Amino acid sequence: MSKIDLISTEFFKKKDIYKILEVAETMRILLKGSSRNAPHLTGKTVLLYFPVNDTKTKLEFQLASEFLSASVVDVTTHESQLKNYQSNYDMANLIEQMRGNVVVSSTAIAGSARHLSSKISASVINAGDGYNENPSQCFDTLFLIKRYKGDIENLKVCLIGDVLHSNVCKSYIFALNELGAKVSLSAPSTLLPVGFEALPVEIHYQPEEAIKDADAIICLPLLDDFDEYKSYLPSINEYKKGYKIDQELLEYAKDDAIVIVNGEPKRGIEVSSRVDIINQTLVGEMTNNCIAVKMALLYLLT
Amino acid sequence: MLLIKNGQVVLEDEVVHADIYIEDGLIKEIGKNLIKDEQVDVIDATGQYILPGLVDLNCELYDPGREHNEDLESLTEAAFAGGYTSVGVMPSTIPVIDNKVIVEYINNRVKLETKLDVLLYGQLSKGGEGRELSEIGEMIKGGIVAVTDGNVAFEDKNFFNMALRYCEMFDLPIILSGVEKHLKETAMLHMGHFAAISGLKSMPPQSEELLFARACMYTRYKDNKVHLTKVTNEDTVYEMKFTKQRQKSITTDCTAHHLYFVDVDIASFDTRFKVIPPLREKKDVDALIMGLREGTIDCIVSGHTPQSKRRKECEFEQASFGASTIETTFLASYSKLCVENGFTITHLAKLLSTTPAKILNLDDRGKLETGLLADIVILDPNKDTYINQKKFYSKAKYSMFDKMTLNGSIEKVIKRGEVVFSSQNNE
């Protein structure tokens, strides 16, 4: 039997995406119950390969695997070793010998999940590879939108923020288009890669135009290290004046629009303190949502 | 003594049905129905093209220094298998070819160890660092045929200007590259659609145009013979079209793989396609073919940059730049230009042999004429060649053309009157 990978959302079909979201819904109900253990992955091994320090995603996958009764092995090497091309190559060999069923990989190298997949017989879930794609996070957000909006088809979803340094942005564009949603995008020109025009997405430099009549607004966060932006932006202050999601900007969107941020937003820079956001963090009910999606992915891939 | 009978001999302007008689490594006679009754080896070339041995202007020799990538022996075999009989090599050795001692050392080894004519280029600056001039005059005495900046353009404009000024004293071609150093270190793709999707750092096509235009401007009032290597970009071709009208001494080249592949071919992050300069877009490919047709681009080079397998069997971002192309360039050019785009075979011979020889001031080769070196390639246009990278002679056994079928088949390669490659032995 050929293995199934989750590396990119580019060639995903509508029915597959909906299937993942449906299973995630079942998992969410399961998580609400008194016993959180389900036997779906008994006897299977999930390997976590997280050279990039993404504690939130790693924890979610770890919990998701354990709730599904899989054994979890952390095969993360230190990031500094990754710079040596040998260790990635050796890592693939090691993983192959461990004979895991699923490998969840999150690295700083674009294309690494694809490379890993070509070397091993286990399924690979891409939880972020450099600035390439991040389908696992994409499904978290899709699940949220579906829960709040019912149906994704014909919605208008607006992406605002740092497109250049966002891997999940491309996953959103592919998946949302497949589902029949309209995607618009707004970013400063220097944070927008050349060649994006060819993607099925509306591009506006002015966020007011992009956000017009939007049903959901997704904030693409800035990097933590503002020094990175020295050659891209004159100052964070100027960015904030143009691209902060605040009440004024949301006037242009639909009244019931939701704002989604992954992780803790930089309040006052990316999102105004007053705006209600649906925060995909490890707090409250949202935790369950993210874990449910990850359980669905693990279950469907094995 | 060798007699090639009944071939289609590709002369400078025409193709004639004739025989070629070779003696003492030189072409002795070209004519119809030559009869030699002595003990002469006869090659029957009925229905096959006889071309002058190919001359490469841009190839990497990693011996000494990185023999695991390619050494003299494997380069020789690979070059002969690809139809090349003279190869100009970049100073990418360790140590860099920047003084007479290393030039003499490599030249001695070439003389002893190989039949291939390996023509050395000297590095313009010491260590290739672009700060101090190397001993160009001394190296010429050692036997270099050209000087070069070695695949990365100099950052320091003043040094660049000074180097060009110094080279005015010598009648030597200066081979210049259009790749910026800091881009080579960080970026890896053409700035286009695929770069945007993949999230990899990319090189703007303008940087190449800018560097080549810079080289033209600095040499406008100088007597330099400048050759710009590996043109890939549409705008550069247009720029060169006009510049060359003013500056007749400028010549350019491109590689065969840039005529075939575009950036979207990398879609599965295939490291075989990681080359420098990067693969561009469809419009650039069209412009290159137009440039070759109009004469804006003077010749085709192999751009052979062998890398060890391990350097290619990793993620795209971490893989080395490089392509093993010396064995495929001839057939790829033949298929793309002659078969697909209607170039004549004489034009192809000019692009791959005559003009490169002329650029390097080699007047004893590059043409089929009596008295010149008997460097000959015999091409069978009626056969096809299935490219199998595992069967490469080069140590770099990977190819962009793997599993592709190219038109034509190299039947025999003759170097100084000696058959050095034969397709029968290959099977």
Side-chain angles (χ1 to χ4, degrees), chain B residues 234-266:
Chain B
E234 183 192 23
D235 297 321
T236 318
V237 177
Y238 290 128
E239 174 80 27
M240 285 305 131
K241 193 175 168 183
F242 292 109
T243 312
K244 281 180 79 172
Q245 289 168 3
R246 276 184 82 178
Q247 285 170 270
K248 300 271 188 275
S249 61
I250 286 175
T251 49
T252 56
D253 70 44
C254 70
T255 66
H257 47 271
H258 281 98
L259 301 177
Y260 257 92
F261 303 106
V262 290
D263 63 343
V264 286
D265 289 322
I266 316 172

CSV table of all heavy atoms in Angstrom, one decimal, chain B residues 234-266:
chain,number,residue,atom,x,y,z
B,234,GLU,N,16.4,37.0,-20.1
B,234,GLU,CA,15.9,37.7,-21.3
B,234,GLU,C,16.4,39.1,-21.5
B,234,GLU,O,16.9,39.5,-22.5
B,234,GLU,CB,14.3,37.7,-21.2
B,234,GLU,CG,13.6,38.3,-22.4
B,234,GLU,CD,12.2,38.6,-22.1
B,234,GLU,OE1,11.8,38.8,-20.9
B,234,GLU,OE2,11.4,38.7,-23.0
B,235,ASP,N,16.3,39.9,-20.4
B,235,ASP,CA,16.8,41.3,-20.4
B,235,ASP,C,18.3,41.4,-20.8
B,235,ASP,O,18.7,42.3,-21.5
B,235,ASP,CB,16.5,42.0,-19.1
B,235,ASP,CG,15.0,42.0,-18.9
B,235,ASP,OD1,14.2,42.2,-19.8
B,235,ASP,OD2,14.6,41.8,-17.7
B,236,THR,N,19.1,40.4,-20.3
B,236,THR,CA,20.5,40.5,-20.6
B,236,THR,C,20.7,40.3,-22.1
B,236,THR,O,21.5,40.9,-22.7
B,236,THR,CB,21.2,39.4,-19.8
B,236,THR,OG1,20.8,39.3,-18.5
B,236,THR,CG2,22.7,39.6,-19.8
B,237,VAL,N,19.9,39.4,-22.7
B,237,VAL,CA,20.0,39.2,-24.1
B,237,VAL,C,19.8,40.4,-24.9
B,237,VAL,O,20.5,40.8,-25.8
B,237,VAL,CB,19.1,38.0,-24.6
B,237,VAL,CG1,19.2,37.8,-26.1
B,237,VAL,CG2,19.4,36.7,-23.9
B,238,TYR,N,18.7,41.2,-24.5
B,238,TYR,CA,18.4,42.4,-25.2
B,238,TYR,C,19.5,43.4,-25.0
B,238,TYR,O,19.9,44.2,-25.9
B,238,TYR,CB,17.0,43.0,-24.7
B,238,TYR,CG,15.9,42.1,-25.2
B,238,TYR,CD1,14.9,41.6,-24.3
B,238,TYR,CD2,15.7,41.8,-26.5
B,238,TYR,CE1,13.9,40.8,-24.7
B,238,TYR,CE2,14.7,41.0,-27.0
B,238,TYR,CZ,13.8,40.5,-26.1
B,238,TYR,OH,12.7,39.7,-26.5
B,239,GLU,N,19.9,43.5,-23.7
B,239,GLU,CA,21.0,44.5,-23.4
B,239,GLU,C,22.2,44.2,-24.2
B,239,GLU,O,22.8,45.1,-24.8
B,239,GLU,CB,21.3,44.3,-21.9
B,239,GLU,CG,22.5,45.1,-21.4
B,239,GLU,CD,22.1,46.5,-21.1
B,239,GLU,OE1,20.9,46.8,-20.8
B,239,GLU,OE2,23.0,47.4,-21.2
B,240,MET,N,22.6,42.9,-24.4
B,240,MET,CA,23.8,42.5,-25.1
B,240,MET,C,23.6,42.8,-26.6
B,240,MET,O,24.6,43.1,-27.3
B,240,MET,CB,24.1,41.1,-24.9
B,240,MET,CG,24.6,40.8,-23.5
B,240,MET,SD,26.1,41.8,-23.2
B,240,MET,CE,25.7,42.4,-21.6
B,241,LYS,N,22.4,42.7,-27.1
B,241,LYS,CA,22.1,42.9,-28.5
B,241,LYS,C,22.6,44.3,-28.9
B,241,LYS,O,23.2,44.5,-29.9
B,241,LYS,CB,20.6,42.7,-28.7
B,241,LYS,CG,20.3,42.6,-30.2
B,241,LYS,CD,18.8,42.3,-30.4
B,241,LYS,CE,18.5,42.4,-31.8
B,241,LYS,NZ,17.0,42.2,-32.0
B,242,PHE,N,22.2,45.3,-28.0
B,242,PHE,CA,22.6,46.6,-28.3
B,242,PHE,C,24.0,46.9,-28.0
B,242,PHE,O,24.7,47.6,-28.7
B,242,PHE,CB,21.6,47.6,-27.6
B,242,PHE,CG,20.3,47.5,-28.1
B,242,PHE,CD1,19.2,46.9,-27.4
B,242,PHE,CD2,20.0,47.9,-29.4
B,242,PHE,CE1,18.0,46.8,-27.9
B,242,PHE,CE2,18.7,47.8,-29.9
B,242,PHE,CZ,17.7,47.2,-29.2
B,243,THR,N,24.5,46.4,-26.9
B,243,THR,CA,25.9,46.7,-26.5
B,243,THR,C,26.9,46.1,-27.5
B,243,THR,O,27.9,46.8,-27.8
B,243,THR,CB,26.2,46.0,-25.1
B,243,THR,OG1,25.1,46.3,-24.2
B,243,THR,CG2,27.5,46.5,-24.6
B,244,LYS,N,26.5,45.0,-28.1
B,244,LYS,CA,27.5,44.3,-29.0
B,244,LYS,C,27.6,45.1,-30.3
B,244,LYS,O,28.6,45.0,-31.0
B,244,LYS,CB,27.1,42.9,-29.3
B,244,LYS,CG,27.5,42.0,-28.2
B,244,LYS,CD,27.1,40.5,-28.4
B,244,LYS,CE,28.0,39.9,-29.4
B,244,LYS,NZ,27.7,38.4,-29.5
B,245,GLN,N,26.6,45.9,-30.6
B,245,GLN,CA,26.7,46.7,-31.8
B,245,GLN,C,27.8,47.8,-31.6
B,245,GLN,O,28.5,48.2,-32.6
B,245,GLN,CB,25.4,47.4,-32.1
B,245,GLN,CG,24.3,46.4,-32.6
B,245,GLN,CD,22.9,47.0,-32.7
B,245,GLN,OE1,22.7,48.2,-32.4
B,245,GLN,NE2,22.0,46.1,-33.0
B,246,ARG,N,27.9,48.3,-30.4
B,246,ARG,CA,28.9,49.3,-30.1
B,246,ARG,C,30.3,48.6,-29.8
B,246,ARG,O,31.3,49.2,-30.2
B,246,ARG,CB,28.5,50.1,-28.8
B,246,ARG,CG,27.6,51.2,-29.1
B,246,ARG,CD,27.4,52.0,-27.8
B,246,ARG,NE,28.4,52.9,-27.6
B,246,ARG,CZ,28.4,53.7,-26.5
B,246,ARG,NH1,27.4,53.7,-25.7
B,246,ARG,NH2,29.4,54.6,-26.3
B,247,GLN,N,30.2,47.6,-29.1
B,247,GLN,CA,31.5,46.9,-28.6
B,247,GLN,C,31.6,45.6,-29.3
B,247,GLN,O,31.1,44.6,-28.8
B,247,GLN,CB,31.5,46.8,-27.1
B,247,GLN,CG,31.7,48.1,-26.4
B,247,GLN,CD,31.5,48.0,-24.9
B,247,GLN,OE1,30.3,48.1,-24.4
B,247,GLN,NE2,32.5,47.6,-24.1
B,248,LYS,N,32.4,45.6,-30.3
B,248,LYS,CA,32.5,44.4,-31.1
B,248,LYS,C,33.3,43.3,-30.4
B,248,LYS,O,33.2,42.1,-30.7
B,248,LYS,CB,33.2,44.7,-32.5
B,248,LYS,CG,32.4,45.7,-33.3
B,248,LYS,CD,31.4,45.0,-34.2
B,248,LYS,CE,30.8,46.0,-35.2
B,248,LYS,NZ,29.6,46.7,-34.7
B,249,SER,N,34.1,43.7,-29.5
B,249,SER,CA,35.0,42.7,-28.8
B,249,SER,C,34.3,41.8,-27.8
B,249,SER,O,34.8,40.9,-27.3
B,249,SER,CB,36.2,43.4,-28.2
B,249,SER,OG,35.7,44.3,-27.2
B,250,ILE,N,33.0,42.1,-27.5
B,250,ILE,CA,32.3,41.4,-26.4
B,250,ILE,C,31.7,40.1,-27.0
B,250,ILE,O,31.1,40.1,-28.1
B,250,ILE,CB,31.3,42.3,-25.8
B,250,ILE,CG1,32.0,43.3,-24.9
B,250,ILE,CG2,30.3,41.4,-25.0
B,250,ILE,CD1,31.1,44.3,-24.2
B,251,THR,N,31.9,39.0,-26.3
B,251,THR,CA,31.3,37.8,-26.7
B,251,THR,C,30.5,37.2,-25.5
B,251,THR,O,30.8,37.5,-24.4
B,251,THR,CB,32.3,36.7,-27.2
B,251,THR,OG1,33.4,36.7,-26.2
B,251,THR,CG2,32.9,37.1,-28.5
B,252,THR,N,29.5,36.4,-25.8
B,252,THR,CA,28.7,35.8,-24.7
B,252,THR,C,28.5,34.3,-24.9
B,252,THR,O,28.6,33.8,-26.1
B,252,THR,CB,27.4,36.5,-24.6
B,252,THR,OG1,26.7,36.4,-25.8
B,252,THR,CG2,27.5,37.9,-24.2
B,253,ASP,N,28.1,33.6,-23.9
B,253,ASP,CA,27.7,32.2,-24.1
B,253,ASP,C,26.5,31.9,-23.2
B,253,ASP,O,26.1,32.7,-22.3
B,253,ASP,CB,28.8,31.3,-23.8
B,253,ASP,CG,29.3,31.2,-22.4
B,253,ASP,OD1,28.4,31.1,-21.5
B,253,ASP,OD2,30.5,31.3,-22.1
B,254,CYS,N,25.9,30.7,-23.4
B,254,CYS,CA,24.9,30.2,-22.5
B,254,CYS,C,25.1,28.7,-22.4
B,254,CYS,O,25.8,28.1,-23.1
B,254,CYS,CB,23.5,30.6,-22.9
B,254,CYS,SG,23.0,29.7,-24.4
B,255,THR,N,24.4,28.1,-21.4
B,255,THR,CA,24.5,26.6,-21.3
B,255,THR,C,23.3,25.9,-22.0
B,255,THR,O,22.3,26.6,-22.2
B,255,THR,CB,24.5,26.2,-19.8
B,255,THR,OG1,23.3,26.5,-19.3
B,255,THR,CG2,25.6,26.9,-19.1
B,256,ALA,N,23.5,24.6,-22.2
B,256,ALA,CA,22.4,23.9,-22.9
B,256,ALA,C,21.2,23.7,-21.9
B,256,ALA,O,20.1,23.6,-22.4
B,256,ALA,CB,22.9,22.6,-23.4
B,257,HIS,N,21.5,23.5,-20.7
B,257,HIS,CA,20.4,23.2,-19.7
B,257,HIS,C,19.5,24.4,-19.5
B,257,HIS,O,18.3,24.2,-19.2
B,257,HIS,CB,20.9,22.5,-18.4
B,257,HIS,CG,22.0,23.2,-17.8
B,257,HIS,ND1,23.3,22.9,-18.0
B,257,HIS,CD2,22.0,24.2,-16.8
B,257,HIS,CE1,24.1,23.7,-17.3
B,257,HIS,NE2,23.4,24.5,-16.6
B,258,HIS,N,20.1,25.6,-19.7
B,258,HIS,CA,19.2,26.7,-19.6
B,258,HIS,C,18.3,26.9,-20.8
B,258,HIS,O,17.3,27.7,-20.8
B,258,HIS,CB,20.0,28.0,-19.4
B,258,HIS,CG,20.5,28.2,-18.0
B,258,HIS,ND1,21.8,27.8,-17.6
B,258,HIS,CD2,19.9,28.6,-16.9
B,258,HIS,CE1,21.9,28.1,-16.3
B,258,HIS,NE2,20.8,28.6,-15.8
B,259,LEU,N,18.6,26.1,-21.9
B,259,LEU,CA,17.7,26.1,-23.0
B,259,LEU,C,16.5,25.1,-22.8
B,259,LEU,O,15.5,25.2,-23.5
B,259,LEU,CB,18.4,25.7,-24.3
B,259,LEU,CG,19.6,26.6,-24.7
B,259,LEU,CD1,20.3,26.0,-25.9
B,259,LEU,CD2,19.1,28.0,-25.0
B,260,TYR,N,16.7,24.2,-21.9
B,260,TYR,CA,15.7,23.2,-21.7
B,260,TYR,C,14.8,23.4,-20.5
B,260,TYR,O,13.6,23.2,-20.6
B,260,TYR,CB,16.5,21.8,-21.5
B,260,TYR,CG,16.5,21.0,-22.7
B,260,TYR,CD1,17.5,21.0,-23.6
B,260,TYR,CD2,15.4,20.1,-22.9
B,260,TYR,CE1,17.6,20.2,-24.7
B,260,TYR,CE2,15.5,19.3,-24.0
B,260,TYR,CZ,16.5,19.4,-24.9
B,260,TYR,OH,16.5,18.6,-26.0
B,261,PHE,N,15.4,23.8,-19.4
B,261,PHE,CA,14.6,23.7,-18.2
B,261,PHE,C,14.3,25.1,-17.6
B,261,PHE,O,15.0,26.1,-17.9
B,261,PHE,CB,15.4,22.9,-17.1
B,261,PHE,CG,15.7,21.6,-17.6
B,261,PHE,CD1,17.0,21.2,-17.9
B,261,PHE,CD2,14.7,20.6,-17.7
B,261,PHE,CE1,17.3,20.0,-18.3
B,261,PHE,CE2,15.0,19.3,-18.1
B,261,PHE,CZ,16.3,19.0,-18.4
B,262,VAL,N,13.2,25.2,-16.9
B,262,VAL,CA,12.7,26.4,-16.3
B,262,VAL,C,12.5,26.2,-14.8
B,262,VAL,O,12.6,25.1,-14.3
B,262,VAL,CB,11.5,27.0,-16.9
B,262,VAL,CG1,11.7,27.5,-18.3
B,262,VAL,CG2,10.4,25.9,-16.9
B,263,ASP,N,12.3,27.3,-14.1
B,263,ASP,CA,12.3,27.2,-12.6
B,263,ASP,C,11.2,26.2,-12.1
B,263,ASP,O,11.3,25.6,-11.1
B,263,ASP,CB,12.2,28.5,-11.9
B,263,ASP,CG,10.9,29.3,-12.2
B,263,ASP,OD1,10.3,28.9,-13.2
B,263,ASP,OD2,10.6,30.2,-11.5
B,264,VAL,N,10.1,26.1,-12.8
B,264,VAL,CA,9.0,25.3,-12.3
B,264,VAL,C,9.4,23.8,-12.4
B,264,VAL,O,8.7,22.9,-11.7
B,264,VAL,CB,7.6,25.5,-13.0
B,264,VAL,CG1,7.0,26.8,-12.6
B,264,VAL,CG2,7.8,25.5,-14.5
B,265,ASP,N,10.4,23.4,-13.1
B,265,ASP,CA,10.8,22.1,-13.2
B,265,ASP,C,11.4,21.6,-11.8
B,265,ASP,O,11.5,20.4,-11.5
B,265,ASP,CB,12.0,21.9,-14.2
B,265,ASP,CG,11.4,22.0,-15.6
B,265,ASP,OD1,10.3,21.5,-15.8
B,265,ASP,OD2,12.1,22.5,-16.5
B,266,ILE,N,11.7,22.6,-10.9
B,266,ILE,CA,12.2,22.3,-9.6
B,266,ILE,C,11.1,21.9,-8.7
B,266,ILE,O,11.4,21.5,-7.5
B,266,ILE,CB,13.1,23.5,-9.1
B,266,ILE,CG1,13.9,24.1,-10.2
B,266,ILE,CG2,14.0,23.0,-7.9
B,266,ILE,CD1,14.6,25.3,-9.8
